[in-house]
Amino acid sequence: MIQIEDLRLIEALSLSPSLSAAARMLNVTPPALSARLRKLEATLGLALATRTSRQLSLTAEGERLAREGSALLAQLDALPESFRREDKRLTGSLRVAAPFGYGRHHVAPVLARFGLLHPALNLQLDLRETPWPDKHDSDAVVHVGAVRDSSWIARPLAPNDRWLCASPAYLQRHGVPSDPHALLQHRCICIRENDEDASLWRFRRRATAGAATGKRAIARDSVRVVAAYTTNDGSVAREWAEQGLGLVLRSEWDTRDAVAAGRLVRVLTDWEFDSAPVTLLVPTRRGRTARLQALMAFVEDALAASPPARRGRRQEG
């Protein structure tokens, strides 16, 4: 007979690139997980997965069991919600993943307020370098940047322009670039994140107010800058720019306070660089719990009211 633990096992395998990754998700050792998988295969008389030294993939039978098992698990997870008391209290656990910087400054305060409203909930916030696509043990992911995977539902939270900035001291020493191609003559600080090409900066000239409608969209261009400094931490890159080490292309949410305080100056404001919108990612599977629905609504309202969203695209010098 198939047990609930068997369904959770096959679901973890379907969401993981390797047996060791699935073992981490289930908090067991790889040998123990391998033994459980062999026992399940013996019970069913079917091969559910093929394994190599580097990866694991499900057979057609394994994929079917994972698909139907996930649907059953979703129903089981939602069952207690259908019996909750008339006071509508939310119970259970919610796991949210977010990038370090944005998660620390924006997501954490929102979750704290949500937790105060629902004290019976257990909330977990995982701050990661790349929460997407490393999403498999999360109920929801807050992502900053383009989304190239359609396996989860993406719900827009807030626009987020990227601003090109430098310190006043740097601009005094090296001058202000006149156009994006002039960046080839400057020291640039690059951020390596989300598997993006860190030194390829894409841009287009900003449309002027009152421009005629119906004309062809302004063409995009790009420049391959020479990285004087590279880091995978956006906050470090911004701090380096504040110290006068070079120009940085960084999210508006992280640079606007430094610009307002005069520690950074925004340059090339007549040009738009690729934006990094803030998005909430949630699973597509049915049976989404009431606690996740409540969290989605709360996060959407809270982060959509953040300064970048309220201001829209107002320019700052």
Side-chain angles (χ1 to χ4, degrees), residues 2-130:
I2 296 179
Q3 307 294 322
I4 292 178
E5 290 75 13
D6 296 329
L7 298 181
R8 298 200 186 280
L9 166 67
I10 198 68
E11 181 182 51
L13 291 173
S14 72
L15 297 173
S16 303
S18 66
L19 189 139
S20 59
R24 288 194 298 272
M25 184 183 302
L26 295 174
N27 197 27
V28 299
T29 64
L33 187 144
S34 183
R36 286 172 54 185
L37 176 58
R38 289 195 300 269
K39 181 179 179 181
L40 176 59
E41 289 178 325
T43 299
L44 297 175
L46 297 169
L48 299 176
T50 58
R51 321 156 182 67
T52 66
S53 58
R54 294 188 176 182
Q55 65 179 10
L56 175 144
S57 59
L58 296 182
T59 64
E61 291 79 8
E63 291 179 352
R64 177 187 172 188
L65 181 61
R67 183 173 59 253
E68 297 184 8
S70 293
L72 289 173
L73 288 172
Q75 294 179 29
L76 288 173
D77 289 341
L79 187 59
E81 306 264 347
S82 65
F83 293 102
R84 64 185 184 272
R85 298 195 301 267
E86 292 183 357
D87 59 8
K88 305 295 185 182
R89 284 197 307 166
L90 298 179
T91 60
S93 299
L94 280 173
R95 299 162 297 180
V96 180
F100 282 107
Y102 191 86
R104 188 179 300 116
H105 290 94
H106 293 276
V107 180
V110 170
L111 285 185
R113 297 199 300 272
F114 184 73
L116 291 175
L117 294 175
H118 306 285
L121 275 177
N122 179 281
L123 296 175
Q124 177 179 323
L125 174 61
D126 292 325
L127 299 182
R128 308 177 186 176
E129 180 183 335
T130 55

Side-chain angles (χ1 to χ4, degrees), residues 124-180:
Q124 177 179 323
L125 174 61
D126 292 325
L127 299 182
R128 308 177 186 176
E129 180 183 335
T130 55
W132 184 266
D134 301 333
K135 62 201 182 284
H136 299 315
D137 58 347
S138 303
D139 297 300
V141 176
V142 176
H143 177 70
V144 179
V147 177
R148 299 180 180 86
D149 188 327
S150 60
S151 62
W152 281 27
I153 294 175
R155 304 173 73 103
L157 294 178
N160 177 37
D161 287 349
R162 283 192 173 112
W163 288 1
L164 185 65
C165 301
S167 71
Y170 175 88
L171 296 175
Q172 186 175 10
R173 290 195 308 269
H174 299 278
V176 179
S178 57
D179 62 71

